[in-house]
Amino acid sequence: MSPVLDTAFIPPRDREEVVRNAVWKSMVAVDIDHRPAAEDISVRIGLGAVGPIRICSARATAVTIRRTERLAREDEEPAVTLGIQMTGSSVVVQNGRECLLRPGESAVYESIAPYTHLFDEGVDYRFIRFPRAALGLPDRLLRDITAVTLGSDNPIARLAFTYFSQLAVTDELHQGVHADAVVAPSVELLRAVLTSQHGNSNLARGPLAATLGLRITQYIRTHLADPDLSAARIAAVHGISVRHLYAVLSRSGISLGDWIRTRRLAECRRELAEPNGRSRTIAAIGQSWGFVDATHFSKVFKQTYGLSPRAWRDQNHSHHFK
């Protein structure tokens, strides 16, 4: 993976901010404490994605990374990051545990809880971020396995180290049909590592029922723009009846129609406020998020936000004409 950010080409006074913005935008929001003075900070970051899996390959001078309680509370999409130690060493601290990582070892940490990652010797590392819902593992197992060294005593972890360290830097696997082909095996391999490390690989199957609601909402988020998204389709994809679908969501306090409509409206609101919000008609934006009837779209938008879609767009674009 070729670096897309190299502080050698960035003025020293801007390096901390540029690095922070790149990490926040591409991976996860964290506080970054660089040990050297600004003029001595050196960071080379390569960024990529394989479907919903995000990848960061980094080399840098000594740094401490902190996911604070405040940032953990603000997390929008819960994620699990697999950290892979290439050379040197680092320490991961989360959920009352800490582990030392040496070359060839890895560990996972969750975005929904605070963590600290210390790189006293500098960074030569791969960060691979998975949507938490995709793993389909129970909360307790994930809490128990964070900040635990995944190393030579686990043959599946050794296999995973080789696989993920190559996946992170192989550009051909980050696009097109190749990316589509490796998403599911990547998720399954990490699931196998974590469940085997926990002591019972059978746990990979049991959590599917426990995490059904989480997987359903994740599926809906991914397919919000699909015009044929329906209770029947969602139920069929997850191998359950429509009645069971409603029951599962009801236990989480979710009304399916309201939940979908709220998130579709939020996407329309975001698009209308963006700089290119005038490049398409309001009706077209509404239709692209499942609102087939333009009049109905305007009505529910105003009921939700107190402004019509047109007034909201004009309000956000008025400064362009002053």
Side-chain angles (χ1 to χ4, degrees):
M1 179 187 297
S2 302
V4 298
L5 185 155
D6 189 338
T7 53
F9 303 101
I10 299 170
R13 67 179 181 276
D14 298 329
R15 288 175 183 174
E16 291 190 40
E17 182 179 359
V18 169
V19 171
R20 181 180 63 84
N21 288 342
V23 172
W24 280 45
K25 182 177 180 180
S26 61
M27 296 296 290
V28 68
V30 288
D31 288 342
I32 304 174
D33 178 18
H34 296 272
R35 304 292 179 82
E39 61 270 18
D40 296 321
I41 291 174
S42 174
V43 179
R44 290 165 58 89
I45 296 177
L47 300 171
V50 182
I53 302 169
R54 298 183 187 179
I55 297 170
C56 174
S57 177
R59 290 183 178 233
T61 43
V63 68
T64 297
I65 297 172
R66 292 184 179 88
R67 176 83 170 163
T68 65
E69 289 189 16
R70 178 182 62 82
L71 293 173
R73 285 195 304 269
E74 294 175 358
D75 192 54
E76 293 184 2
E77 181 190 34
V80 173
T81 297
L82 172 68
I84 298 174
Q85 191 75 41
M86 301 306 296
T87 64
S89 65
S90 67
V91 174
V92 179
V93 182
Q94 189 174 50
N95 291 329
R97 287 184 301 277
E98 67 176 60
C99 67
L100 173 66
L101 298 182
R102 298 182 177 89
E105 296 178 333
S106 56
V108 294
Y109 31 98
E110 297 185 274
S111 66
I112 61 172
Y115 63 77
T116 301
H117 205 153
L118 299 94
F119 294 93
D120 289 338
E121 303 174 2
V123 182
D124 186 2
Y125 206 77
R126 312 276 190 263
F127 302 85
I128 305 180
R129 183 180 187 267
F130 294 77
R132 198 170 187 269
L135 292 172
L137 292 171
D139 295 349
R140 179 61 185 271
L141 183 147
L142 288 173
R143 283 197 303 271
D144 288 348
I145 208 69
T146 53
V148 171
T149 302
L150 308 171
S152 58
D153 60 338
N154 184 333
I156 301 178
R158 293 199 303 270
L159 171 67
F161 178 90
T162 302
Y163 173 85
F164 285 117
S165 59
Q166 288 300 308
L167 176 67
V169 296
T170 307
D171 290 339
E172 305 93 273
L173 295 177
H174 299 173
Q175 52 196 329
V177 294
H178 300 300
D180 295 338
V182 299
V183 170
S186 299
V187 170
E188 293 300 328
L189 179 55
L190 181 58
R191 183 185 287 128
V193 171
L194 300 184
T195 54
S196 63
Q197 185 75 29
H198 197 266
N200 185 351
S201 59
N202 291 330
L203 288 173
R205 295 188 293 273
L208 293 179
T211 59
L212 180 58
L214 192 63
R215 290 184 288 115
I216 288 171
T217 54
Q218 178 67 21
Y219 177 84
I220 296 170
R221 288 180 190 276
T222 304
H223 295 88
L224 269 179
D226 295 0
D228 61 344
L229 183 65
S230 65
R233 172 181 161 185
I234 297 166
V237 166
H238 291 87
I240 58 176
S241 68
V242 171
R243 182 177 179 180
H244 187 45
L245 168 68
Y246 282 117
V248 169
L249 294 177
S250 178
R251 287 197 290 269
S252 300
I254 293 174
S255 169
L256 181 60
D258 291 344
W259 201 88
I260 292 175
R261 183 168 56 252
T262 297
R263 278 148 186 81
R264 283 177 165 174
L265 284 171
E267 292 296 335
C268 293
R269 186 172 184 260
R270 176 186 57 78
E271 284 202 23
L272 288 165
E274 287 181 345
N276 61 351
R278 291 182 177 275
S279 63
R280 291 195 298 162
T281 65
I282 289 171
I285 291 175
Q287 190 168 24
S288 69
W289 288 103
F291 294 99
V292 179
D293 186 321
T295 302
H296 173 69
F297 169 53
S298 293
K299 180 180 178 180
V300 295
F301 189 99
K302 187 172 183 177
Q303 286 175 343
T304 302
Y305 298 116
L307 290 172
S308 68
R310 187 174 305 280
W312 169 252
R313 184 175 68 178
D314 291 345
Q315 175 180 296
N316 282 274
H317 292 270
S318 59
H319 65 278
H320 295 304
F321 302 98
K322 292 181 180 178

